[in-house]
Amino acid sequence: ERIKLKHGSHREGKRTDSVMQKWRGNGLGQFIHWGLYAIPGGEWNGKQYNGAAEWIRSWNGIPKSAYDSLIYKFNPINFNADEWASIAKNMGAKYVTITTKHHDGFCLWPSKYTSYTVANSPWKKDIMKPLVDAYDKAGLDVILYFSIMDWNHPGWRYDIKTKADSIAFEGFKKFTRNQLIELLTMYPKAKGLWFDGTWDKSWVKQAKFADELEAEMRKLRPGLIIGSRFRADEYGKRHFDSNNVLMGDYEQGWERKLPNSIADVHGNDWDCVMTIPENQWGYNKAWKGHIKSSNELIEMTAKAVSLGGNFVLNFGPKGDGSIRDEEKKLASEIGDWMKVNSEAIYNCEYSGLEKQDWGYFTKKREKDKVYLIIFNTPVSGAYRVKLPAKTAIAKSYLLTNPNMDLRVEEVHSNEYFIYAKPTTEAKPFVIVLDTKKKENNGGNNY
Ligand SMILES: C[C@@H]1N[C@@H](c2cn(-c3ccccc3)nn2)[C@H](O)[C@@H]1O
Protein backbone atom coordinates (compact mmCIF):
# COMPACT_ATOMS: atom_id res chain seq x y z
CA GLU A 1 0.00 0.00 0.00
CA ARG A 2 1.69 3.28 -1.05
CA ILE A 3 2.23 6.12 1.40
CA LYS A 4 1.10 9.55 0.17
CA LEU A 5 4.31 11.55 -0.20
CA LYS A 6 4.71 15.23 -1.04
CA HIS A 7 8.52 15.13 -1.13
CA GLY A 8 9.37 11.63 -2.20
CA SER A 9 10.62 10.54 -5.59
CA HIS A 10 8.94 12.27 -8.53
CA ARG A 11 9.86 9.67 -11.15
CA GLU A 12 9.87 5.91 -11.21
CA GLY A 13 12.10 3.83 -13.50
CA LYS A 14 15.07 4.92 -15.54
CA ARG A 15 15.12 8.29 -17.30
CA THR A 16 14.88 7.77 -21.06
CA ASP A 17 16.08 11.21 -22.30
CA SER A 18 19.25 11.51 -24.35
CA VAL A 19 21.30 13.23 -21.61
CA MET A 20 20.71 10.31 -19.26
CA GLN A 21 21.22 7.76 -22.09
CA LYS A 22 24.63 9.33 -22.72
CA TRP A 23 25.47 9.20 -18.99
CA ARG A 24 24.29 5.57 -18.81
CA GLY A 25 26.64 4.62 -21.64
CA ASN A 26 29.73 6.33 -20.21
CA GLY A 27 30.91 3.23 -18.31
CA LEU A 28 34.08 4.82 -16.92
CA GLY A 29 34.52 8.19 -15.23
CA GLN A 30 37.14 10.13 -13.30
CA PHE A 31 36.53 11.69 -9.87
CA ILE A 32 38.71 14.62 -8.79
CA HIS A 33 39.05 15.53 -5.09
CA TRP A 34 41.05 18.71 -4.78
CA GLY A 35 41.09 21.54 -2.25
CA LEU A 36 42.97 22.93 0.74
CA TYR A 37 43.24 19.44 2.27
CA ALA A 38 45.70 18.54 -0.53
CA ILE A 39 48.24 20.97 1.02
CA PRO A 40 48.78 19.07 4.33
CA GLY A 41 48.18 15.79 2.48
CA GLY A 42 47.12 13.84 5.57
CA GLU A 43 49.94 15.13 7.78
CA TRP A 44 50.23 18.00 10.28
CA ASN A 45 53.32 19.04 12.22
CA GLY A 46 54.96 15.78 11.21
CA LYS A 47 52.09 13.69 12.58
CA GLN A 48 50.05 11.49 10.23
CA TYR A 49 46.27 11.70 10.31
CA ASN A 50 44.82 8.21 10.20
CA GLY A 51 41.56 9.11 8.47
CA ALA A 52 40.83 10.17 4.92
CA ALA A 53 43.07 13.13 4.05
CA GLU A 54 40.17 15.37 2.98
CA TRP A 55 38.74 14.99 6.50
CA ILE A 56 41.90 16.20 8.27
CA ARG A 57 40.11 19.34 9.53
CA SER A 58 37.92 17.08 11.69
CA TRP A 59 41.02 15.74 13.47
CA ASN A 60 41.63 17.11 16.97
CA GLY A 61 45.33 17.04 16.02
CA ILE A 62 44.89 20.24 14.05
CA PRO A 63 43.35 23.53 15.28
CA LYS A 64 40.38 24.44 13.05
CA SER A 65 41.68 27.99 12.59
CA ALA A 66 45.05 26.63 11.49
CA TYR A 67 43.33 24.51 8.87
CA ASP A 68 41.14 27.40 7.73
CA SER A 69 44.28 29.52 7.26
CA LEU A 70 45.41 27.11 4.54
CA ILE A 71 43.53 29.42 2.16
CA TYR A 72 46.57 31.70 2.39
CA LYS A 73 48.76 28.87 1.13
CA PHE A 74 46.63 27.91 -1.89
CA ASN A 75 48.89 28.70 -4.85
CA PRO A 76 48.96 25.63 -7.16
CA ILE A 77 51.76 26.69 -9.49
CA ASN A 78 51.73 23.31 -11.24
CA PHE A 79 47.98 23.28 -11.87
CA ASN A 80 47.33 22.36 -15.51
CA ALA A 81 43.68 21.70 -16.36
CA ASP A 82 44.53 20.38 -19.83
CA GLU A 83 46.92 17.83 -18.33
CA TRP A 84 44.25 16.58 -15.93
CA ALA A 85 41.76 16.30 -18.80
CA SER A 86 44.21 14.44 -21.03
CA ILE A 87 45.00 11.96 -18.24
CA ALA A 88 41.25 11.27 -17.97
CA LYS A 89 40.77 11.07 -21.74
CA ASN A 90 43.73 8.72 -22.18
CA MET A 91 42.42 6.54 -19.37
CA GLY A 92 39.22 6.12 -21.39
CA ALA A 93 36.98 8.09 -19.02
CA LYS A 94 33.90 9.61 -20.67
CA TYR A 95 33.11 12.03 -17.83
CA VAL A 96 34.55 13.67 -14.75
CA THR A 97 33.10 14.59 -11.35
CA ILE A 98 35.01 17.49 -9.75
CA THR A 99 34.80 18.83 -6.19
CA THR A 100 33.64 22.45 -6.35
CA LYS A 101 33.37 22.60 -2.53
CA HIS A 102 34.12 19.76 -0.12
CA HIS A 103 33.04 19.56 3.53
CA ASP A 104 35.63 22.21 4.55
CA GLY A 105 33.67 24.85 2.62
CA PHE A 106 36.57 26.08 0.49
CA CYS A 107 35.23 27.01 -2.95
CA LEU A 108 37.26 26.31 -6.08
CA TRP A 109 35.20 28.98 -7.83
CA PRO A 110 35.00 32.72 -6.92
CA SER A 111 31.61 32.49 -5.19
CA LYS A 112 29.87 35.78 -4.39
CA TYR A 113 28.33 34.26 -1.25
CA THR A 114 31.41 33.60 0.84
CA SER A 115 34.95 34.92 1.12
CA TYR A 116 36.30 31.38 1.61
CA THR A 117 37.16 30.92 -2.04
CA VAL A 118 40.08 30.82 -4.47
CA ALA A 119 39.50 34.55 -5.08
CA ASN A 120 40.94 35.27 -1.63
CA SER A 121 43.90 32.93 -1.97
CA PRO A 122 47.31 33.80 -3.45
CA TRP A 123 46.13 32.01 -6.60
CA LYS A 124 43.16 34.44 -6.93
CA LYS A 125 41.89 32.88 -10.15
CA ASP A 126 38.85 30.64 -10.78
CA ILE A 127 39.83 26.95 -10.85
CA MET A 128 36.47 25.57 -12.00
CA LYS A 129 36.28 27.47 -15.32
CA PRO A 130 39.60 26.19 -16.71
CA LEU A 131 38.72 22.68 -15.52
CA VAL A 132 35.22 22.65 -17.05
CA ASP A 133 36.59 24.08 -20.30
CA ALA A 134 39.55 21.67 -20.46
CA TYR A 135 37.44 18.55 -19.89
CA ASP A 136 34.78 19.83 -22.29
CA LYS A 137 37.45 20.43 -24.94
CA ALA A 138 38.74 16.89 -24.36
CA GLY A 139 35.21 15.60 -25.00
CA LEU A 140 34.39 14.56 -21.43
CA ASP A 141 31.13 15.53 -19.71
CA VAL A 142 31.50 17.42 -16.42
CA ILE A 143 29.58 16.71 -13.22
CA LEU A 144 30.01 19.12 -10.28
CA TYR A 145 30.52 17.58 -6.82
CA PHE A 146 29.00 19.77 -4.08
CA SER A 147 29.04 19.12 -0.33
CA ILE A 148 25.95 20.42 1.47
CA MET A 149 27.74 20.08 4.81
CA ASP A 150 30.03 23.11 5.05
CA TRP A 151 32.27 23.29 8.12
CA ASN A 152 33.31 26.88 7.31
CA HIS A 153 29.85 28.47 7.16
CA PRO A 154 28.65 29.88 10.51
CA GLY A 155 25.09 28.76 9.77
CA TRP A 156 25.94 25.08 9.32
CA ARG A 157 24.39 22.81 11.99
CA TYR A 158 24.51 19.04 12.41
CA ASP A 159 20.99 19.12 13.83
CA ILE A 160 18.34 21.75 14.53
CA LYS A 161 17.73 21.70 18.27
CA THR A 162 17.01 25.29 19.25
CA LYS A 163 15.33 28.38 17.82
CA ALA A 164 18.81 29.80 17.32
CA ASP A 165 19.80 26.70 15.33
CA SER A 166 16.74 27.12 13.17
CA ILE A 167 17.45 30.78 12.46
CA ALA A 168 21.10 30.07 11.65
CA PHE A 169 20.18 27.18 9.40
CA GLU A 170 17.64 29.24 7.47
CA GLY A 171 20.53 31.51 6.50
CA PHE A 172 22.60 28.46 5.61
CA LYS A 173 19.83 27.09 3.37
CA LYS A 174 19.62 30.40 1.46
CA PHE A 175 23.43 30.38 1.11
CA THR A 176 23.35 26.80 -0.21
CA ARG A 177 20.65 27.60 -2.76
CA ASN A 178 22.52 30.72 -3.87
CA GLN A 179 25.75 28.78 -4.40
CA LEU A 180 24.03 26.03 -6.39
CA ILE A 181 22.23 28.49 -8.67
CA GLU A 182 25.54 30.36 -9.01
CA LEU A 183 27.38 27.16 -10.05
CA LEU A 184 24.73 26.22 -12.63
CA THR A 185 24.79 29.78 -13.98
CA MET A 186 28.59 30.13 -14.12
CA TYR A 187 29.21 26.61 -15.55
CA PRO A 188 26.25 25.89 -17.85
CA LYS A 189 28.19 23.06 -19.54
CA ALA A 190 27.92 20.95 -16.36
CA LYS A 191 25.67 17.94 -17.01
CA GLY A 192 24.92 17.19 -13.39
CA LEU A 193 25.53 17.66 -9.68
CA TRP A 194 27.00 14.99 -7.40
CA PHE A 195 25.86 15.80 -3.85
CA ASP A 196 27.61 14.72 -0.68
CA GLY A 197 27.45 15.67 3.01
CA THR A 198 23.69 15.22 3.20
CA TRP A 199 23.40 12.61 5.95
CA ASP A 200 23.14 14.88 9.02
CA LYS A 201 19.74 15.47 10.65
CA SER A 202 19.80 19.20 9.90
CA TRP A 203 19.62 18.57 6.17
CA VAL A 204 17.52 15.41 6.36
CA LYS A 205 14.81 17.54 8.01
CA GLN A 206 14.69 19.87 4.95
CA ALA A 207 12.59 17.61 2.71
CA LYS A 208 10.36 20.45 1.41
CA PHE A 209 13.21 22.92 0.91
CA ALA A 210 15.43 20.38 -0.83
CA ASP A 211 12.57 19.13 -3.01
CA GLU A 212 11.80 22.68 -4.13
CA LEU A 213 15.50 23.41 -4.64
CA GLU A 214 15.89 20.29 -6.79
CA ALA A 215 12.87 21.40 -8.85
CA GLU A 216 14.34 24.90 -9.24
CA MET A 217 17.69 23.49 -10.43
CA ARG A 218 16.03 21.13 -12.91
CA LYS A 219 13.96 24.02 -14.27
CA LEU A 220 17.08 26.18 -14.63
CA ARG A 221 19.02 23.35 -16.31
CA PRO A 222 16.66 20.93 -18.11
CA GLY A 223 18.24 17.47 -18.31
CA LEU A 224 20.38 18.09 -15.20
CA ILE A 225 21.47 14.80 -13.62
CA ILE A 226 21.04 14.62 -9.82
CA GLY A 227 21.62 11.43 -7.82
CA SER A 228 19.83 9.81 -4.90
CA ARG A 229 22.05 11.39 -2.21
CA PHE A 230 20.75 14.97 -2.52
CA ARG A 231 17.56 14.91 -0.51
CA ALA A 232 15.43 12.90 1.94
CA ASP A 233 11.66 12.53 1.83
CA GLU A 234 9.38 13.99 4.56
CA TYR A 235 9.91 10.87 6.67
CA GLY A 236 13.70 11.24 6.53
CA LYS A 237 14.16 8.39 4.07
CA ARG A 238 17.29 8.80 1.93
CA HIS A 239 18.25 7.27 -1.45
CA PHE A 240 14.92 5.42 -1.54
CA ASP A 241 11.73 7.15 -0.40
CA SER A 242 9.14 5.75 2.01
CA ASN A 243 7.61 3.77 -0.88
CA ASN A 244 11.06 2.38 -1.68
CA VAL A 245 11.25 4.37 -4.92
CA LEU A 246 14.68 5.74 -5.88
CA MET A 247 15.20 9.46 -5.20
CA GLY A 248 16.85 11.36 -8.05
CA ASP A 249 18.07 9.99 -11.37
CA TYR A 250 20.50 7.26 -10.29
CA GLU A 251 21.59 5.50 -7.10
CA GLN A 252 24.58 7.07 -5.34
CA GLY A 253 24.95 4.41 -2.66
CA TRP A 254 28.01 2.62 -4.03
CA GLU A 255 30.87 4.49 -2.44
CA ARG A 256 34.03 2.37 -2.28
CA LYS A 257 31.96 -0.74 -2.86
CA LEU A 258 30.27 -2.52 -5.76
CA PRO A 259 26.95 -4.37 -5.96
CA ASN A 260 27.40 -8.12 -6.12
CA SER A 261 24.46 -9.11 -8.29
CA ILE A 262 21.78 -7.49 -10.43
CA ALA A 263 19.33 -7.94 -7.54
CA ASP A 264 21.34 -5.32 -5.60
CA VAL A 265 20.64 -2.53 -8.09
CA HIS A 266 16.82 -2.77 -8.22
CA GLY A 267 16.58 -1.91 -11.93
CA ASN A 268 18.04 1.56 -11.39
CA ASP A 269 20.92 3.49 -12.91
CA TRP A 270 23.83 3.82 -10.48
CA ASP A 271 27.48 4.84 -10.18
CA CYS A 272 30.26 3.40 -8.04
CA VAL A 273 32.82 5.94 -6.85
CA MET A 274 36.14 4.35 -5.92
CA THR A 275 39.45 5.31 -4.32
CA ILE A 276 42.79 3.86 -5.43
CA PRO A 277 44.01 3.40 -1.82
CA GLU A 278 41.57 1.91 0.69
CA ASN A 279 39.99 5.22 1.75
CA GLN A 280 41.74 8.40 0.56
CA TRP A 281 39.93 10.87 -1.69
CA GLY A 282 42.08 13.97 -1.16
CA TYR A 283 45.85 13.80 -1.73
CA ASN A 284 47.64 11.87 1.01
CA LYS A 285 51.46 12.02 1.15
CA ALA A 286 51.46 8.47 2.55
CA TRP A 287 50.66 6.10 -0.32
CA LYS A 288 50.10 3.20 2.03
CA GLY A 289 47.89 0.16 2.65
CA HIS A 290 46.43 -1.73 -0.28
CA ILE A 291 46.83 0.27 -3.52
CA LYS A 292 44.58 -1.18 -6.21
CA SER A 293 46.33 -2.42 -9.35
CA SER A 294 45.14 -1.54 -12.86
CA ASN A 295 43.90 -5.15 -13.26
CA GLU A 296 41.77 -4.75 -10.12
CA LEU A 297 40.42 -1.42 -11.34
CA ILE A 298 39.69 -2.79 -14.83
CA GLU A 299 37.82 -5.68 -13.19
CA MET A 300 35.77 -3.25 -11.08
CA THR A 301 34.96 -1.28 -14.23
CA ALA A 302 33.84 -4.47 -16.04
CA LYS A 303 31.80 -5.60 -13.03
CA ALA A 304 30.09 -2.21 -12.76
CA VAL A 305 29.15 -2.11 -16.44
CA SER A 306 28.05 -5.78 -16.33
CA LEU A 307 25.52 -4.75 -13.65
CA GLY A 308 24.31 -1.63 -15.48
CA GLY A 309 26.36 1.03 -13.66
CA ASN A 310 29.27 3.43 -14.17
CA PHE A 311 32.66 3.16 -12.46
CA VAL A 312 34.14 6.51 -11.36
CA LEU A 313 37.79 6.35 -10.30
CA ASN A 314 39.14 9.01 -7.94
CA PHE A 315 42.32 11.07 -8.36
CA GLY A 316 43.65 13.34 -5.63
CA PRO A 317 45.92 16.04 -7.10
CA LYS A 318 48.64 17.47 -4.86
CA GLY A 319 48.49 20.91 -3.27
CA ASP A 320 50.66 22.30 -6.08
CA GLY A 321 48.16 21.09 -8.69
CA SER A 322 50.23 18.23 -10.07
CA ILE A 323 48.97 14.64 -10.21
CA ARG A 324 51.12 12.01 -8.48
CA ASP A 325 53.09 9.59 -10.67
CA GLU A 326 51.38 6.51 -9.21
CA GLU A 327 47.99 7.80 -10.31
CA LYS A 328 49.28 8.77 -13.76
CA LYS A 329 50.72 5.26 -14.19
CA LEU A 330 47.43 3.56 -13.25
CA ALA A 331 45.47 5.87 -15.56
CA SER A 332 47.75 4.99 -18.43
CA GLU A 333 47.61 1.22 -17.75
CA ILE A 334 43.80 1.35 -17.63
CA GLY A 335 43.87 3.44 -20.80
CA ASP A 336 46.06 0.89 -22.59
CA TRP A 337 43.43 -1.75 -21.87
CA MET A 338 40.52 0.52 -22.77
CA LYS A 339 42.12 1.46 -26.11
CA VAL A 340 41.82 -2.22 -27.12
CA ASN A 341 38.67 -3.31 -25.26
CA SER A 342 36.42 -0.31 -24.68
CA GLU A 343 33.85 -1.66 -27.18
CA ALA A 344 32.84 -4.02 -24.34
CA ILE A 345 32.41 -1.07 -21.95
CA TYR A 346 30.98 1.99 -23.74
CA ASN A 347 27.20 1.99 -24.32
CA CYS A 348 27.00 -1.47 -22.78
CA GLU A 349 24.54 -2.74 -20.21
CA TYR A 350 23.48 -5.73 -18.10
CA SER A 351 23.23 -8.74 -20.44
CA GLY A 352 20.59 -10.68 -18.50
CA LEU A 353 22.84 -13.75 -18.75
CA GLU A 354 23.77 -15.92 -15.77
CA LYS A 355 27.15 -14.90 -14.33
CA GLN A 356 29.95 -17.39 -15.02
CA ASP A 357 33.26 -17.95 -13.20
CA TRP A 358 35.50 -16.69 -16.01
CA GLY A 359 34.39 -13.04 -15.56
CA TYR A 360 31.65 -10.64 -16.68
CA PHE A 361 29.10 -10.37 -19.48
CA THR A 362 28.23 -7.01 -20.97
CA LYS A 363 25.79 -6.38 -23.80
CA LYS A 364 25.88 -3.58 -26.40
CA ARG A 365 22.76 -1.43 -26.00
CA GLU A 366 20.20 -2.15 -28.76
CA LYS A 367 22.47 -4.70 -30.46
CA ASP A 368 22.61 -8.53 -30.51
CA LYS A 369 26.20 -8.33 -29.36
CA VAL A 370 27.41 -9.82 -26.08
CA TYR A 371 30.91 -9.47 -24.64
CA LEU A 372 32.67 -11.89 -22.32
CA ILE A 373 35.29 -9.94 -20.34
CA ILE A 374 37.64 -12.67 -19.13
CA PHE A 375 39.53 -12.37 -15.85
CA ASN A 376 39.76 -16.03 -14.85
CA THR A 377 40.90 -18.34 -17.68
CA PRO A 378 39.54 -21.90 -17.11
CA VAL A 379 42.14 -24.69 -17.39
CA SER A 380 39.76 -26.40 -19.84
CA GLY A 381 40.07 -23.48 -22.24
CA ALA A 382 36.25 -23.64 -22.45
CA TYR A 383 34.15 -20.58 -21.64
CA ARG A 384 30.63 -21.49 -20.50
CA VAL A 385 27.70 -19.42 -21.83
CA LYS A 386 24.00 -19.98 -21.16
CA LEU A 387 21.63 -18.23 -23.56
CA PRO A 388 17.88 -17.72 -23.31
CA ALA A 389 15.75 -20.24 -25.22
CA LYS A 390 15.13 -18.28 -28.43
CA THR A 391 18.73 -17.08 -28.81
CA ALA A 392 21.59 -18.75 -30.62
CA ILE A 393 25.22 -17.86 -31.30
CA ALA A 394 25.75 -16.61 -34.84
CA LYS A 395 29.46 -15.96 -34.46
CA SER A 396 32.10 -15.86 -31.75
CA TYR A 397 35.57 -14.31 -31.89
CA LEU A 398 38.23 -12.53 -29.88
CA LEU A 399 37.64 -8.78 -29.94
CA THR A 400 41.28 -8.49 -31.01
CA ASN A 401 40.84 -10.97 -33.88
CA PRO A 402 37.38 -10.69 -35.48
CA ASN A 403 38.39 -12.74 -38.52
CA MET A 404 39.09 -15.94 -36.62
CA ASP A 405 35.89 -17.72 -35.53
CA LEU A 406 36.21 -19.46 -32.18
CA ARG A 407 34.98 -23.06 -31.85
CA VAL A 408 31.54 -23.20 -30.20
CA GLU A 409 30.11 -26.44 -28.79
CA GLU A 410 26.50 -26.74 -27.60
CA VAL A 411 26.91 -28.90 -24.52
CA HIS A 412 23.24 -28.76 -23.50
CA SER A 413 20.22 -27.03 -25.00
CA ASN A 414 21.20 -23.31 -25.02
CA GLU A 415 24.35 -23.97 -23.05
CA TYR A 416 27.63 -23.60 -24.91
CA PHE A 417 31.38 -23.92 -24.46
CA ILE A 418 33.41 -21.41 -26.40
CA TYR A 419 37.01 -22.49 -26.89
CA ALA A 420 39.64 -19.75 -26.84
CA LYS A 421 43.35 -19.68 -26.17
CA PRO A 422 44.08 -17.26 -23.35
CA THR A 423 46.06 -14.29 -24.55
CA THR A 424 49.77 -14.39 -23.77
CA GLU A 425 50.07 -11.73 -21.07
CA ALA A 426 48.07 -11.88 -17.84
CA LYS A 427 45.62 -9.19 -18.85
CA PRO A 428 41.84 -9.43 -19.14
CA PHE A 429 40.64 -10.06 -22.71
CA VAL A 430 37.29 -10.04 -24.52
CA ILE A 431 35.37 -12.70 -26.43
CA VAL A 432 32.55 -11.36 -28.62
CA LEU A 433 29.29 -13.21 -29.25
CA ASP A 434 27.09 -12.16 -32.17
CA THR A 435 23.75 -13.64 -31.21
CA LYS A 436 20.67 -14.28 -33.34
CA LYS A 437 17.10 -15.42 -32.93
CA LYS A 438 16.85 -19.22 -33.09
CA GLU A 439 15.15 -20.35 -36.35
CA ASN A 440 12.22 -22.57 -35.70
CA ASN A 441 13.99 -25.91 -36.32
CA GLY A 442 10.71 -27.76 -36.28
CA GLY A 443 11.36 -28.34 -32.59
CA ASN A 444 13.11 -31.46 -31.27
CA ASN A 445 10.06 -33.64 -30.64
CA TYR A 446 11.50 -36.15 -28.26
C1 LIG B 1 32.84 10.85 -2.04
C2 LIG B 1 33.36 10.74 -0.62
N1 LIG B 1 32.35 11.02 0.38
C3 LIG B 1 33.02 11.63 1.54
C4 LIG B 1 32.76 10.87 2.77
C5 LIG B 1 31.71 10.85 3.57
N2 LIG B 1 31.98 10.00 4.58
C6 LIG B 1 31.24 9.66 5.68
C7 LIG B 1 31.89 9.07 6.76
C8 LIG B 1 31.15 8.74 7.88
C9 LIG B 1 29.79 8.97 7.92
C10 LIG B 1 29.16 9.54 6.83
C11 LIG B 1 29.90 9.88 5.72
N3 LIG B 1 33.18 9.51 4.39
N4 LIG B 1 33.65 10.02 3.27
C12 LIG B 1 34.50 11.58 1.20
O1 LIG B 1 35.22 12.61 1.83
C13 LIG B 1 34.48 11.72 -0.32
O2 LIG B 1 34.16 13.05 -0.68
Side-chain angles (χ1 to χ4, degrees):
E1 182 55 21
R2 290 234 157 168
I3 299 172
K4 187 107 190 64
L5 288 175
K6 282 209 201 79
H7 305 300
S9 175
H10 299 307
R11 194 207 71 263
E12 203 159 342
K14 292 179 177 176
R15 272 176 49 174
T16 54
D17 59 286
S18 60
V19 173
M20 198 70 198
Q21 286 268 21
K22 163 59 169 74
W23 181 92
R24 182 174 299 135
N26 283 339
L28 179 61
Q30 180 192 51
F31 215 139
I32 292 279
H33 272 75
W34 197 44
L36 297 181
Y37 41 76
I39 298 169
E43 204 180 278
W44 194 266
N45 284 345
K47 272 192 299 190
Q48 274 203 345
Y49 169 54
N50 289 330
E54 72 285 353
W55 275 67
I56 194 168
R57 188 182 187 278
S58 68
W59 184 30
N60 53 26
I62 172 174
K64 306 293 177 235
S65 56
Y67 178 93
D68 293 344
S69 300
L70 287 170
I71 181 172
Y72 303 114
K73 290 209 175 109
F74 186 78
N75 189 26
I77 48 172
N78 295 323
F79 171 61
N80 180 333
D82 288 321
E83 190 202 354
W84 293 16
S86 68
I87 288 169
K89 185 181 179 67
N90 293 334
M91 178 170 81
K94 287 290 183 190
Y95 69 129
V96 65
T97 301
I98 309 171
T99 48
T100 59
K101 178 179 88 170
H102 202 257
H103 310 330
D104 64 0
F106 180 66
C107 302
L108 290 184
W109 81 100
S111 175
K112 293 203 298 288
Y113 301 101
T114 171
S115 57
Y116 202 50
T117 82
V118 283
N120 299 308
S121 74
W123 185 252
K124 294 199 184 325
K125 300 181 288 291
D126 185 356
I127 289 282
M128 288 314 302
K129 177 116 181 55
L131 278 173
V132 172
D133 290 348
Y135 279 96
D136 183 56
K137 200 168 76 188
L140 280 77
D141 292 336
V142 176
I143 303 269
L144 303 178
Y145 166 109
F146 184 89
S147 175
I148 296 289
M149 176 168 71
D150 180 329
W151 296 327
N152 183 269
H153 192 280
W156 168 253
R157 294 291 182 279
Y158 288 95
D159 195 0
I160 313 293
K161 289 213 166 32
T162 65
K163 183 75 183 136
D165 286 343
S166 176
I167 292 166
F169 208 67
E170 282 313 303
F172 178 76
K173 286 157 61 176
K174 281 189 182 58
F175 159 76
T176 298
R177 178 213 163 266
N178 289 339
Q179 284 207 314
L180 287 168
I181 301 303
E182 180 178 53
L183 282 169
L184 294 178
T185 306
M186 290 178 74
Y187 313 106
K189 287 178 189 156
K191 295 285 181 308
L193 291 165
W194 204 95
F195 285 98
D196 203 3
T198 56
W199 49 81
D200 289 298
K201 289 198 186 84
S202 53
W203 183 257
V204 169
K205 289 174 177 172
Q206 309 304 326
K208 179 174 188 296
F209 173 79
D211 190 11
E212 289 169 357
L213 177 52
E214 182 173 321
E216 181 183 9
M217 292 190 285
R218 291 183 187 279
K219 188 156 175 277
L220 174 61
R221 277 280 166 276
L224 192 67
I225 297 173
I226 296 174
S228 62
R229 199 181 286 192
F230 176 52
R231 65 185 178 89
D233 76 5
E234 54 261 50
Y235 294 94
K237 292 284 284 137
R238 299 182 62 232
H239 293 286
F240 294 88
D241 70 15
S242 301
N243 293 315
N244 212 20
V245 179
L246 182 74
M247 303 287 272
D249 304 320
Y250 65 97
E251 195 198 340
Q252 266 182 284
W254 304 102
E255 181 171 317
R256 294 189 303 114
K257 61 185 185 220
L258 276 162
N260 222 358
S261 76
I262 198 65
D264 295 336
V265 302
H266 315 291
N268 296 310
D269 284 310
W270 55 277
D271 72 355
C272 163
V273 291
M274 187 57 74
T275 50
I276 294 173
E278 184 51 35
N279 184 13
Q280 295 294 332
W281 297 88
Y283 173 73
N284 192 320
K285 288 175 186 159
W287 192 242
K288 63 184 182 187
H290 179 70
I291 303 295
K292 298 173 190 78
S293 68
S294 51
N295 275 338
E296 272 183 86
L297 296 166
I298 292 163
E299 180 158 3
M300 290 180 177
T301 304
K303 181 168 185 179
V305 173
S306 77
L307 294 173
N310 286 336
F311 187 69
V312 184
L313 183 60
N314 182 71
F315 289 71
K318 297 182 192 171
D320 71 352
S322 64
I323 290 193
R324 70 192 317 155
D325 291 343
E326 301 92 337
E327 290 183 350
K328 283 183 190 167
K329 184 163 176 289
L330 282 168
S332 120
E333 288 168 0
I334 294 166
D336 290 346
W337 187 83
M338 286 292 281
K339 280 179 185 60
V340 173
N341 299 287
S342 62
E343 179 182 324
I345 299 293
Y346 298 147
N347 296 311
C348 286
E349 60 191 18
Y350 170 59
S351 67
L353 302 180
E354 184 184 307
K355 170 93 173 59
Q356 300 296 335
D357 295 340
W358 42 254
Y360 308 91
F361 283 112
T362 62
K363 180 186 171 299
K364 187 64 75 179
R365 181 164 64 213
E366 289 152 23
K367 289 252 184 336
D368 291 333
K369 214 173 254 291
V370 168
Y371 302 93
L372 287 65
I373 310 179
I374 311 294
F375 291 87
N376 315 307
T377 46
V379 286
S380 63
Y383 296 82
R384 187 186 302 275
V385 175
K386 290 182 183 175
L387 291 181
K390 297 271 177 288
T391 310
I393 296 176
K395 200 168 141 48
S396 175
Y397 52 92
L398 290 176
L399 181 58
T400 51
N401 190 352
N403 301 323
M404 189 197 72
D405 286 5
L406 298 175
R407 184 161 72 87
V408 178
E409 179 192 4
E410 187 161 13
V411 293
H412 304 294
S413 163
N414 293 319
E415 186 165 339
Y416 303 86
F417 279 162
I418 299 170
Y419 293 90
K421 295 244 172 317
T423 53
T424 45
E425 43 153 0
K427 281 305 266 183
F429 65 97
V430 176
I431 293 172
V432 187
L433 289 188
D434 289 339
T435 62
K436 61 183 180 184
K437 290 276 163 280
K438 229 170 190 172
E439 301 93 46
N440 176 356
N441 55 10
N444 325 329
N445 307 313
Y446 295 104

